[in-house]
Amino acid sequence: MKKEDKLFPDEIARGLGTRRIGRQILSYEEINSTNDAVFRLGEQGMAEGLCVFAEHQKKGRGRMGRSWASPKGKGVLVSILLRPLMPPLEISKVTLMAAVSVVRAIRRVSGLTLGIKWPNDVLGRDKKVCGILTEMSAELDRVNFVVIGIGVNVNADPKDLPSGATSLKALAGKKIPRVKFTQALLRELDKDYKRLIEGDFAELAEEWESHSVTSGRRVIARTFGRKIEGLATGIDEDGALWIRRDDGLQEKVLAGDVEHLRS
Ligand code: BTN
């Protein structure tokens, strides 16, 4: 691999121009999980905007206790520390925001317009390109910090990825420069995070909806041990997904996972 395509902090920071995201950047060749590393640094009081990258994770973690596998040096694996002054119940907005930032960064660098499966899987041709794992340290009424972990399959060969996954390279038919993509991602996150903390979630929700491949589909949602089946009608101002069950009842799902069913 050419030196300039490695995710070194100085390469990423050069000309970045963000206000918050990427104020401090650390890169590891190998780590267990960037989310775990940032969580520890959050507990130690590190300022928001810190980004930790890794070329390879030995214990990459996904949502709902799953793992996240990515071949070495082919993806962008990053965790970002945020300290938003928001109540814990609103943190799902941060997750949706991150998916919107990822989709926009992908479009800027590759020209691809991808879809979002609720809450935050980024899909191309129905296959997963990016996953986002948001974790937080909070008390009942106060968030100490949030860690957004983003894994993007950039230049991997789909045969080296878990089934159901693909990469930007496979979709665009060309290799994508990882440093350039990373800078675009941090810039979009910087803009969107500013909008979010200034109370502008409605605009982000609208953009999320315009990319949604879940709204209008029949789904099964799994949330806190319950299964809800019906038609996904879209997200609301809290970022919750609404599902209209066949008996006409509307259900609001704030956290969990959805499976798209054949319509
Ligand atoms: C999912 O779709 O289940 C979420 C996957 C999140 C993966 C990223 S890779 C960087 C960060 N570190 C982790 O251990 N997980 C997240």
Side-chain angles (χ1 to χ4, degrees):
M1 185 189 302
K2 281 196 251 145
K3 176 181 178 287
E4 63 266 28
D5 197 37
K6 286 207 93 175
L7 300 178
F8 292 128
D10 52 342
E11 299 276 339
I12 297 167
R14 187 171 302 135
L16 184 63
T18 53
R19 170 142 184 238
R20 296 184 182 83
I21 311 295
R23 275 198 298 206
Q24 189 169 3
I25 300 174
L26 302 173
S27 294
Y28 291 85
E29 200 51 38
E30 186 164 86
I31 199 166
N32 281 334
S33 155
T34 54
N35 260 44
D36 294 348
V38 171
F39 207 94
R40 274 196 302 276
L41 292 167
E43 286 174 332
Q44 289 165 23
M46 199 72 116
E48 76 169 350
L50 165 77
C51 295
V52 172
F53 290 85
E55 295 291 0
H56 184 242
Q57 296 185 122
K58 284 189 285 185
K59 293 184 184 159
R61 294 190 292 107
R63 297 178 64 240
M64 325 287 281
R66 293 186 283 250
S67 62
W68 178 263
S70 169
K72 188 173 182 157
K74 302 281 185 187
V76 169
L77 312 173
V78 59
S79 297
I80 300 154
L81 179 67
L82 299 175
R83 296 186 184 275
L85 291 173
M86 286 166 81
L89 268 172
E90 287 190 24
I91 290 306
S92 50
K93 293 181 182 174
V94 178
T95 294
L96 300 176
M97 171 206 82
V100 169
S101 307
V102 168
V103 166
R104 230 187 289 115
I106 289 174
R107 194 169 51 206
R108 282 199 196 289
V109 175
S110 70
L112 294 163
T113 301
L114 300 188
I116 307 174
K117 173 172 175 265
W118 188 84
N120 57 11
D121 285 351
V122 176
L123 308 184
R125 290 191 210 129
D126 242 13
K127 295 195 158 177
K128 187 151 159 174
V129 172
C130 165
I132 300 171
L133 172 67
T134 307
E135 296 179 298
M136 70 173 160
S137 154
E139 284 144 44
L140 260 185
D141 52 353
R142 186 182 101 104
V143 172
N144 299 320
F145 61 82
V146 175
V147 178
I148 314 181
I150 304 176
V152 187
N153 300 324
V154 182
N155 290 321
D157 197 323
K159 74 170 172 21
D160 300 326
L161 291 170
S163 71
T166 189
S167 69
L168 296 179
K169 183 179 162 199
L171 292 167
K174 61 178 184 211
K175 207 170 159 190
I176 303 298
R178 288 191 308 151
V179 172
K180 196 167 157 213
F181 169 67
T182 299
Q183 289 184 320
L185 177 61
L186 301 192
R187 287 187 192 120
E188 296 305 331
L189 284 165
D190 199 57
K191 267 195 276 176
D192 290 337
Y193 185 53
K194 179 171 183 285
R195 282 158 91 187
L196 185 73
I197 56 182
E198 287 177 354
D200 254 352
F201 180 69
E203 255 181 54
L204 288 167
E206 221 174 271
E207 201 175 337
W208 186 96
E209 199 67 76
S210 74
H211 290 288
S212 171
V213 293
T214 298
S215 311
R217 295 274 303 250
R218 269 196 81 76
V219 298
I220 294 183
R222 292 183 176 82
T223 175
F224 302 111
R226 286 185 63 216
K227 257 188 182 180
I228 303 165
E229 184 172 340
L231 181 75
T233 51
I235 59 166
D236 64 13
E237 65 286 350
D238 299 324
L241 182 72
W242 282 85
I243 298 177
R244 192 171 66 231
R245 296 186 343 195
D246 295 341
D247 62 7
L249 203 79
Q250 307 266 5
E251 295 245 25
K252 173 175 170 148
V253 186
L254 200 54
D257 222 13
V258 295
E259 186 186 325
H260 290 168
L261 301 174
R262 293 196 190 284
S263 320

